[in-house]
Amino acid sequence: MVDWTDAERSAILGLWGKISVDEIGPQALARVLIVYPWTQRYFSSFGDVSTPAAIMGNPKVAAHGKVVCGALDKAVKNMGNILAIYKSLSETHANKLFVDPDNFRVLADVLTIVIAAKFGAAFTPEIQATWQKFMKVVVAAMGSRYF
Amino acid sequence: MSLTAKDKKMVKAFWAKVAGKAEDIGCDALSRMLVVYPQTKTYFSHWKDLSPGSAPVRKHGGTIMGGISLAVASIDDLSAGLLALSELHAFKLRVDPANFKILSHNILVVLAILFPNEFNPEAHVAMDKFLAAVGRALSEKYR
């Protein structure tokens, strides 16, 4: 479905290898809930999400951030096959969780910013381009089973 | 999604911290936009060198940041403050307004890179709202 050059594959693997899902996941999900507060609608069972401080200290938000970002590991390890890999996750989000697929794009943008903060100048324009291409494919795959 | 008093305070405070690096921010954001979203190169086909950090990119990055500074100073009435710039983009440059979102995203990426500690979630939401409001003000004269 998607062509990856060797340089692109190694950029994604290199980046992902230095990322700790336990660190980045909670930060990314917390930022989504703070920057786009309407996304809190999906997390009414998470307890106190009333302020940025509450969100950043909320253990359920942190745990779920790890789950969401952990799922990216599958895509990194199967870059040639992302559409197939995410078929059932897409169906779950569409038919059981009723998540608006625009949220996948939102999370991808926030994740890019969190990763940029972590890597600084090492997150070069070229690496950013490759990472955003990867995110675009993941977002498309996650939206693929919404009809 | 208009700017609250809290947003404006946060934007002004954050901008005061980062304005010293405005040219670097503009240069890096524009460089990234041209690499990550190559379709945006269409607006700069008259430049000799579109590579990251090139002279025309740095110069224009500075110009764009000047516009952002103007927006910060005009934060209580962005439509009035950015009227001339809106007319410029609408009638002379004819930049598709979808590109304002693209550039805004890259500005946020650069702020995260250069100011990882100051660009916390509260600063992020204020700046995201502000840049969206700037994009809207720039789009006003289009039709």
Side-chain angles (χ1 to χ4, degrees):
Chain A
M1 179 203 162
V2 178
D3 289 326
W4 301 101
T5 64
D6 288 341
E8 285 172 333
R9 278 178 194 274
S10 87
I12 296 296
L13 286 165
L15 207 56
W16 193 249
K18 297 192 194 100
I19 282 171
S20 155
V21 158
D22 287 354
E23 182 199 347
I24 294 282
Q27 284 174 14
L29 186 59
R31 262 190 207 239
V32 167
L33 295 172
I34 292 166
V35 179
Y36 306 97
W38 53 93
T39 57
Q40 292 165 23
R41 80 181 287 277
Y42 298 109
F43 303 106
S44 49
S45 65
F46 276 28
D48 188 6
V49 291
S50 57
T51 64
I55 290 169
M56 289 192 281
N58 187 311
K60 286 188 174 176
V61 170
H64 196 65
K66 293 179 194 177
V67 166
V68 168
C69 286
L72 280 172
D73 200 61
K74 280 197 274 197
V76 173
K77 300 205 159 81
N78 294 281
M79 282 171 70
N81 211 13
I82 292 175
L83 187 65
I85 291 281
Y86 280 144
K87 179 167 177 272
S88 73
L89 256 182
S90 178
E91 283 167 354
T92 301
H93 283 72
N95 304 325
K96 295 214 172 73
L97 301 174
F98 305 112
V99 172
D100 187 321
D102 195 55
N103 292 294
F104 306 141
R105 180 193 58 81
V106 162
L107 177 59
D109 284 348
V110 169
L111 203 45
T112 301
I113 285 168
V114 168
I115 285 173
K118 181 183 167 64
F119 287 96
F123 191 63
T124 63
E126 292 75 17
I127 290 181
Q128 182 186 340
T130 303
W131 173 257
Q132 290 200 208
K133 175 180 170 178
F134 173 69
M135 284 282 96
K136 210 169 168 185
V137 174
V138 166
V139 167
M142 283 303 294
S144 65
R145 304 302 290 174
Y146 283 71
F147 299 124
Chain B
M1 291 197 249
S2 51
L3 298 172
T4 62
K6 185 170 163 225
D7 292 327
K8 292 181 190 178
K9 195 167 167 215
M10 173 63 86
V11 168
K12 285 192 237 188
F14 185 76
W15 190 251
K17 285 185 206 158
V18 311
K21 288 212 169 151
E23 204 191 85
D24 289 337
I25 294 169
C27 178
D28 200 4
L30 189 57
S31 299
R32 285 171 189 273
M33 186 185 82
L34 295 167
V35 168
V36 180
Y37 303 86
Q39 71 272 17
T40 58
K41 290 189 208 174
T42 187
Y43 295 103
F44 307 104
S45 47
H46 54 289
W47 285 355
K48 241 180 247 179
D49 185 358
L50 286 161
S51 59
S54 73
V57 170
R58 173 158 287 274
K59 180 164 182 258
H60 198 63
T63 301
I64 292 173
M65 287 297 114
I68 300 286
S69 267
L70 172 63
V72 175
S74 315
I75 204 167
D76 288 323
D77 192 347
L78 284 170
S79 300
L82 297 178
L83 180 73
L85 275 173
S86 180
E87 286 177 342
L88 177 72
H89 284 74
F91 303 127
K92 187 153 179 269
L93 305 174
R94 287 187 283 210
V95 173
D96 190 314
N99 293 293
F100 301 145
K101 285 199 191 105
I102 290 176
L103 181 58
S104 294
H105 169 72
N106 285 293
I107 290 172
L108 295 178
V109 167
V110 170
L111 291 175
I113 286 174
L114 291 177
F115 304 97
N117 298 316
E118 294 86 339
F119 193 62
N120 57 29
E122 290 99 326
H124 182 164
V125 59
M127 287 306 295
D128 191 45
K129 283 181 77 174
F130 171 66
L131 290 173
V134 169
R136 286 195 298 273
L138 282 176
S139 307
E140 271 211 24
K141 291 312 208 174
Y142 272 68
R143 58 174 177 176

